[in-house]
Amino acid sequence: MKITLKDGSAKEYAQPMSIYEIAADISEGLARAACAGEVDGKVEDLRTVIDRDCELNIVTANDAAGLRVIRHTASHVLAEAVKRLFPDAKVTIGPAIDEGFYYDFDAEPFSRDDLDKLEAEMKKIIKEGHKIERFTMPREEAIRFMEEKGEPYKVELIRDLPEDAEISFYDQGGFVDLCAGPHLMSTKNIKAYKLISSSMAYWRGDSNKAQLQRIYGTAFQKKEELEAYLEHLEDIKRRDHNKLGREMELFTTVDVIGQGLPLLLPKGTKMIMKMQRWIEDLEDKEWGYVRTKTPLMAKSDLYKLSGHWDHYKEGMFVLGDEEKDKEVLALRPMTCPFQYFCYKNSQHSYRDLPIRYGETSTLFRNEDSGEMHGLTRVRQFTISEGHLIVRPDQMVEEFKGCLALAKHCLTVLGVEEDVTYHLSKWDPDNREKYIGEPEVWNETEQHIRDILTQLDISFVEDVGEAAFYGPKVDINAKNVYGKEDTMITIQWDALLAEQFDMYYIDQNGEKQRPYIIHRTSMGCYERTLAWLIEKYAGKFPTWLCPEQVRVLPISEKYEDYAESVRKELAKNDIDVTVDNRSEKIGFKIREARLAKLPYMLVVGQQEAEDGTVSVRSRFAGDEGVKPLNEFIEQICKEIRTKEIRKENVVE
C-alpha cells in the first residue's frame, strides 16, 4: 500500500500498519510527538490500522487536532482521579472543547480544595505512565460490562447506539472508559494541565434531567503555554463585566427584584444616558430619523396581527389568560408593529418615502434562566431601535445606509475590529417557523448577499437564524469568555406591510406596498455597556466616563480653589468631582487611579495663585501644569470628537 505524506513524499508497505507504526518508521522523534493521524483528512486514533492507499498527516501538539487529543486524554485521567478519590461518583461524558476539556459527574459538588486534590491525583496517574489500550465489544456485551461497573449514564449512551454497533473502550492501567477516541498512547504524554473550576450541569443539557457536577480543565504540551493561558484567564476575570461592572458600581442585581432585571446605578446610568443622547442626536440630525414613543404593552390582537403571537409567544411576558380574561395584554418584545401604526396614522405619497422612525425602546423577553448573564442577556433591556418604511426601489440604498450607520457607531465606540458579520437566512426545511414564499426569501437573501459583497464586508451565512418575516445581517461580537452575542441587527422585510395593510400612493395614484427595514444603530444599551466594560477593562474613553475629572486639593486650604475649578469645568458640561477628604495627596491620586479616571487635577498654593492645574492622566501620567482654560479646551475637544486616547502609562 502507498501512504502519501503531508510533504508529498510517499511510503510503501507490504502489510497493514498502524498510524503509530508509520510515524515510528518515519522517525522516533515524530512517533514520540504524535497525538493522532489525519487519514484522507479525517482525524484517527494512532492505533488505527491502515490497509489501503491514502494520504496521511501525523498530528502533533502543534496542531489544533493534536491538542484536542491531549485534552481528551486529560479528561479521562481526571475521571480516573475522581473515581479514585470519590468512588461513589458516576461518570458521564468528558469531551475536549476549544479552551480545554470538561467531565461531568453524578456526585456531590466539588470545592476548590477538591480540585486541588484531584490535580495531585492526576499527577500520580500521569507519573505511573500507564499505556492506553483500545478495545471493542458488541453492543449488548458493552451494556452488561458497564452495568457491572455500576455506570448507568454510560449504559444509557450505549443503548442509544445502533444494535449492530461495535462499542469502543479505552483502558489506562485498569481504569476503563467508554469512548470513541482518539487518545494518546500513554498517560505520561500529558505534560501540563490545570483544573480551572467546577459548576452544575444537566445530563444531556436537559433541565428536566439529573443535575451533574462539571469540572473544567485545560491541558497543553508545554508548561509555558499553560502559564500563558492561566494569565489569560486572570485577564478575563479582570475584564468580566459581571464582576468589574459591579466593582465599579455601574450596575447590580437583587434577588427579590428578579433574575435578568439589573439595576443600573448612577454611574452606569450616566454612561447609558451619554450613549443614548449621542445616538438620538446622530440619527435625528444627521441621518434623517423622526422620533416616536410607543406603549410598553399591547393587546394580544396586535401580536396576532404581526405574527409574533404564533412565532414568538413563548418568549413574551403575557398578562392574562385567553380562556378566562376578556382582554389579554403582553409586554412588547419588539416595537415594529407599534411604529407601523404611526405610519398608518396618515396617508403617504411615494414622495414621502423613505420615512425613518427611531425610538429608544424598552423591550421585554422571557429569557430562560440558564441563559441570563450580567447585562448581556436580560429580561428587560433598551435598544436603539428603528424602522424604515421605504419604496422597493429605495431598499438597497437604505439598507446600505443602515450598515454605514452601524459601522460608524462601532468606529466611534472603538470596537469596529471586534465584530463579525452574518447573513442570517431562513431554513427551508423548517417552513412552519417562517411566513412567506421561498421565492421571496431567496430574492431578499440574494439582495443582502450582493450588498455585503459590494461593500467589501466579509461575512458568513447562518441557516435558520433569520427572523420569521425576513433575512437579516447580524453584527456579532464575542465576550471575554468567547461566547458570541448579536450586537446590531439589520433586517430586510418584504412581507409584514401586507399583513398590516400598509401602503403608499405611487406616481400613478395607485396603492403600493412599501418594504420595511428593521434595524438598530448601536443595539442594546445594556449589552453594549457590558461589551465596553470588557473591551476597555473599565478604562473607558473620556467622553463615556461617568466621572471624567477629579480635582484633588493637596490640603483643606485649597478647597475653595478646587471648588472654583469644579464649577468652571461643570459649566463646560464636564463630569467632575472634588476629593475633599482629609487624606494625603498620594493616597488621593492612587484612589483616583484605581477608579480608572481619565484625569486628575492636583491643586495647591501655586496653582491657586496662577489659575492653573497640575494635570495627571490615565494616558500619559504627569502632563504638567496647565492654565485651567487650556485644560478645559483640551478635554472639551476630546469629548466633542469622542477621541480614544492611547494609554502609555504602565501601572
Side-chain angles (χ1 to χ4, degrees):
M1 63 183 179
K2 182 180 178 181
I3 307 297
T4 304
L5 303 176
K6 186 178 181 181
D7 62 2
S9 63
K11 288 274 189 180
E12 293 194 8
Y13 300 99
Q15 70 287 332
M17 299 271 282
S18 72
I19 295 173
Y20 181 79
E21 289 170 333
I22 295 172
D25 184 57
I26 296 170
S27 80
E28 288 299 323
L30 181 60
R32 286 194 298 271
C35 298
E38 284 183 349
V39 181
D40 292 334
K42 182 182 178 183
V43 178
E44 299 281 4
D45 194 280
L46 288 170
R47 302 158 189 81
T48 299
V49 174
I50 298 176
D51 58 3
R52 58 182 173 82
D53 293 352
C54 68
E55 293 183 357
L56 174 64
N57 174 34
I58 304 299
V59 174
T60 71
N62 294 325
D63 304 300
L67 194 54
R68 291 185 75 86
V69 174
I70 291 173
R71 290 168 172 173
H72 193 182
T73 306
S75 77
H76 279 227
V77 173
L78 167 61
E80 181 176 359
V82 168
K83 292 296 286 186
R84 285 187 181 187
L85 298 185
F86 303 92
D88 293 334
K90 305 299 181 186
V91 292
T92 66
I93 58 171
I97 54 178
D98 287 344
E99 298 293 319
F101 61 88
Y102 70 80
Y103 210 117
D104 289 347
F105 303 93
D106 188 344
E108 294 298 315
F110 296 101
S111 66
R112 181 66 246 183
D113 186 52
D114 291 331
L115 298 189
D116 293 340
K117 291 175 181 176
L118 288 167
E119 276 186 12
E121 194 63 32
M122 289 175 70
K123 184 175 181 180
K124 291 180 185 177
I125 296 168
I126 292 167
K127 191 174 181 180
E128 290 167 7
H130 294 293
K131 187 176 180 181
I132 301 175
E133 304 277 5
R134 182 180 185 274
F135 65 93
T136 62
M137 290 183 184
R139 180 175 175 272
E140 291 306 313
E141 186 179 343
I143 290 172
R144 290 194 298 272
F145 181 67
M146 277 299 169
E147 284 177 338
E148 290 170 2
K149 286 184 169 293
E151 298 293 357
Y153 297 95
K154 299 294 185 181
V155 171
E156 182 178 330
L157 291 172
I158 298 170
R159 289 190 186 280
D160 287 345
L161 297 173
E163 290 187 8
D164 59 350
E166 191 172 59
I167 314 300
S168 61
F169 296 86
Y170 283 83
D171 183 339
Q172 54 194 46
F175 174 75
V176 178
D177 203 352
L178 169 73
C179 190
H183 281 284
L184 300 175
M185 299 299 287
S186 169
T187 59
K188 69 180 180 182
N189 293 331
I190 300 172
K191 306 296 184 183
Y193 62 94
K194 180 71 178 176
L195 298 184
I196 306 298
S197 62
S198 64
S199 64
M200 190 272 289
Y202 291 108
W203 173 232
R204 295 189 154 183
D206 187 340
S207 60
N208 296 314
K209 294 185 178 180
Q211 286 190 14
L212 307 174
Q213 302 303 317
R214 175 171 296 177
I215 297 178
Y216 285 99
T218 193
F220 291 87
Q221 178 68 5
K222 298 177 182 178
K223 183 180 179 182
E224 296 79 12
E225 294 170 336
L226 175 62
E227 289 174 348
Y229 176 74
L230 294 178
E231 177 55 37
H232 168 66
L233 289 186
E234 289 302 313
D235 184 57
I236 285 175
K237 292 177 183 177
R238 288 190 289 268
R239 290 175 178 271
D240 182 355
H241 87 275
N242 207 20
K243 177 177 181 290
L244 183 55
R246 295 170 194 270
E247 292 173 351
M248 295 183 70
E249 297 185 342
L250 300 178
F251 76 96
T252 189
T253 52
V254 181
D255 287 344
V256 295
I257 292 175
Q259 192 178 11
L261 300 170
L263 297 175
L264 286 164
L265 301 174
K267 292 178 183 178
T269 302
K270 172 77 77 171
M271 292 184 68
I272 285 183
M273 284 173 58
K274 290 183 179 189
M275 288 190 282
Q276 180 179 333
R277 289 168 179 168
W278 164 53
I279 288 294
E280 290 179 348
D281 284 347
L282 178 70
E283 290 180 346
D284 299 356
K285 295 177 182 178
E286 299 184 31
W287 291 81
Y289 283 76
V290 291
R291 293 277 124 199
T292 62
K293 187 172 178 61
T294 56
L296 299 181
M297 66 181 75
K299 296 194 301 183
S300 59
D301 305 54
L302 179 69
Y303 305 115
K304 290 174 182 176
L305 181 61
S306 69
H308 288 90
W309 199 255
D310 291 333
H311 295 273
Y312 202 79
K313 183 180 177 183
E314 294 304 313
M316 296 168 64
F317 288 102
V318 178
L319 310 177
D321 187 323
E322 288 189 285
E323 295 182 1
K324 299 178 182 177
D325 300 319
K326 184 176 180 181
E327 186 173 82
V328 174
L329 300 170
L331 298 177
R332 65 180 185 186
M334 81 309 291
T335 310
C336 42
F338 297 85
Q339 290 192 331
Y340 297 163
F341 280 99
C342 291
Y343 176 83
K344 285 167 62 68
N345 186 60
S346 59
Q347 183 167 283
H348 300 280
S349 157
Y350 71 98
R351 297 179 183 274
D352 299 328
L353 303 187
I355 295 175
R356 307 180 187 97
Y357 292 116
E359 182 166 340
T360 302
S361 308
T362 298
L363 306 178
F364 306 85
R365 294 185 183 173
N366 191 9
E367 298 283 1
D368 183 79
S369 60
E371 291 293 320
M372 288 182 287
H373 174 71
L375 297 177
T376 58
R377 186 76 65 173
V378 292
R379 285 175 167 163
Q380 175 183 313
F381 56 94
T382 302
I383 66 173
S384 56
E385 193 166 23
H387 295 89
L388 288 73
I389 317 300
V390 307
R391 302 193 311 264
D393 64 286
Q394 298 169 324
M395 189 68 167
V396 168
E397 287 307 310
E398 288 297 316
F399 203 92
K400 288 180 180 178
C402 292
L403 279 166
L405 175 56
K407 291 188 77 171
H408 174 74
C409 292
L410 294 171
T411 300
V412 171
L413 292 172
V415 294
E416 72 281 2
E417 295 182 355
D418 302 336
V419 302
T420 55
Y421 289 78
H422 299 250
L423 167 52
S424 296
K425 307 188 297 183
W426 80 318
D427 181 357
D429 294 328
N430 190 11
R431 288 293 303 275
E432 66 275 6
K433 183 180 175 183
Y434 307 94
I435 62 174
E437 296 303 315
E439 295 78 13
V440 176
W441 282 94
N442 294 336
E443 180 183 348
T444 53
E445 286 174 3
Q446 187 59 46
H447 277 308
I448 296 177
R449 191 179 290 112
D450 292 342
I451 289 170
L452 292 171
T453 301
Q454 290 168 16
L455 296 176
D456 197 26
I457 296 174
S458 298
F459 65 97
V460 296
E461 301 192 13
D462 298 330
V463 175
E465 294 299 319
F468 69 85
Y469 48 80
K472 56 182 176 169
V473 172
D474 285 325
I475 303 177
N476 295 356
K478 291 181 179 179
N479 66 15
V480 290
Y481 295 102
K483 183 181 183 299
E484 193 169 70
D485 287 304
T486 297
M487 310 308 295
I488 295 172
T489 292
I490 304 168
Q491 301 175 350
W492 185 300
D493 177 5
L495 298 171
L496 286 183
E498 183 168 353
Q499 290 189 218
F500 280 84
D501 192 27
M502 298 167 65
Y503 64 87
Y504 64 92
I505 305 299
D506 69 10
Q507 53 267 54
N508 299 317
E510 301 291 331
K511 289 183 178 182
Q512 301 294 340
R513 297 290 184 207
Y515 282 0
I516 302 164
I517 300 174
H518 309 238
R519 47 102 279 182
T520 57
S521 51
M522 189 197 62
C524 166
Y525 287 97
E526 290 85 354
R527 185 174 289 180
T528 299
L529 178 56
W531 188 14
L532 295 174
I533 293 170
E534 296 184 350
K535 165 75 175 181
Y536 293 106
K539 297 179 179 180
F540 307 108
T542 300
W543 75 274
L544 266 177
C545 287
E547 183 182 0
Q548 295 161 329
V549 179
R550 186 176 295 177
V551 186
L552 311 177
I554 62 174
S555 75
E556 62 182 13
K557 292 189 293 185
Y558 307 107
E559 288 180 2
D560 289 344
Y561 179 62
E563 179 60 20
S564 70
V565 169
R566 186 199 68 77
K567 287 181 178 178
E568 201 62 32
L569 290 167
K571 280 183 192 176
N572 288 274
D573 295 325
I574 298 164
D575 291 310
V576 55
T577 62
V578 177
D579 187 347
N580 280 329
R581 293 177 298 169
S582 299
E583 301 285 357
K584 292 182 179 180
I585 191 64
F587 178 83
K588 292 181 179 181
I589 290 172
R590 285 193 299 275
E591 288 279 290
R593 186 179 295 121
L594 289 171
K596 308 179 190 300
L597 301 181
Y599 293 98
M600 299 165 263
L601 303 182
V602 180
V603 295
Q605 180 177 347
Q606 196 64 50
E607 288 80 10
E609 291 175 357
D610 298 342
T612 59
V613 289
S614 180
V615 181
R616 290 175 176 267
S617 77
R618 200 180 65 211
F619 317 103
D622 189 348
E623 295 192 12
V625 176
K626 297 181 181 182
L628 178 58
N629 288 342
E630 180 183 323
F631 173 75
I632 290 175
E633 183 179 347
Q634 169 196 322
I635 191 173
C636 284
K637 180 182 178 183
E638 184 181 339
I639 292 169
R640 184 178 66 256
T641 61
K642 296 178 175 56
E643 178 185 358
I644 301 175
R645 288 189 68 183
K646 301 297 182 183
E647 296 190 19
N648 299 316
V649 178
V650 178
E651 295 185 359

